Amino acid sequence: VVGLEPSCLLGLRDEFLSLHPGVESAELAMNAFLLEDFLAHEHEAGRLALKLKPLREKKALVHGHCHQKAFDAMPAVRKVLALVPGLEVEAVESSCCGLAGGFGYGAPQFDVCMKMAELSLLPRVRKAAEDELIVADGTSCRHQIRDGAGRKAIHVARVLERALGS
């Protein structure tokens, strides 16, 4: 299983085992990968031959989803983005974007949600040059960046799609 949304895929790899212990669940968990993990592994094994082209943007500012950080999946994100010729990759030193899944969508939590986002993520995104890509794999992270900083963040898969060209 190769997935795109960190909370879903990593939940499958971790929490699913608690809900459904057993050999079959363990096999599924051991064979569930985020897209970046899968691509980085295939690249390291010499089985990945993407014909990536340089992008107009020369820098990608990357915000890691909480699950990616907790499961140490960010190195794979950086490795895969580094496959794009000429793309400089910078990780945003941040905690949670503030939404924490559905938590931040509730009106009573809005102030806490925004305080979390304003600690480092949103100020850094606002400082990003217009020609820098903003990359975030989490759906809620992308929404928070758009709503809080007025910038569109895209998934790593979209960066690769653009670098593959037509």
Side-chain angles (χ1 to χ4, degrees):
V1 176
V2 177
L4 298 176
E5 174 61 37
S7 59
C8 295
L9 192 283
L10 295 170
L12 174 66
R13 217 161 67 187
D14 182 46
E15 287 121 16
F16 187 70
L17 291 172
S18 299
L19 297 171
H20 300 284
V23 174
E24 291 164 338
S25 296
E27 284 183 39
L28 176 60
M30 289 180 356
N31 290 292
F33 303 94
L34 285 170
L35 175 67
E36 299 88 351
D37 291 327
F38 178 77
L39 293 176
H41 181 266
E42 292 300 298
H43 177 72
E44 290 167 7
R47 295 186 295 260
L48 184 67
L50 297 175
K51 296 179 182 174
L52 301 174
K53 300 171 186 146
L55 300 173
R56 178 182 55 81
E57 301 89 352
K58 300 301 175 202
K59 185 173 185 178
L61 185 61
V62 182
H63 168 69
H65 185 283
C66 291
H67 280 85
Q68 287 174 304
K69 294 172 188 171
F71 283 84
D72 196 31
M74 292 308 294
V77 172
R78 288 189 290 276
K79 285 179 187 176
V80 169
L81 287 172
L83 296 174
V84 178
L87 186 63
E88 177 189 346
V89 179
E90 177 189 332
V92 178
E93 296 299 325
S94 60
S95 61
C96 179
C97 72
L99 286 179
F103 170 83
Y105 288 111
Q109 297 91 338
F110 181 77
D111 288 340
V112 172
C113 164
M114 293 310 295
K115 285 178 184 173
M116 289 175 70
E118 291 294 350
L119 287 173
S120 56
L121 174 60
L122 295 181
R124 179 60 188 93
V125 169
R126 287 185 197 110
K127 289 180 186 173
E130 285 298 316
D131 64 347
E132 288 180 39
L133 287 172
I134 309 298
V135 180
D137 284 352
T139 300
S140 55
C141 302
R142 290 192 302 274
H143 283 277
Q144 182 74 310
I145 290 167
R146 183 194 64 220
D147 295 342
R151 291 289 301 267
K152 181 180 180 178
I154 63 174
H155 193 284
V156 169
R158 294 290 186 192
V159 176
L160 296 176
E161 175 187 42
R162 289 182 55 209
L164 283 168
S166 48

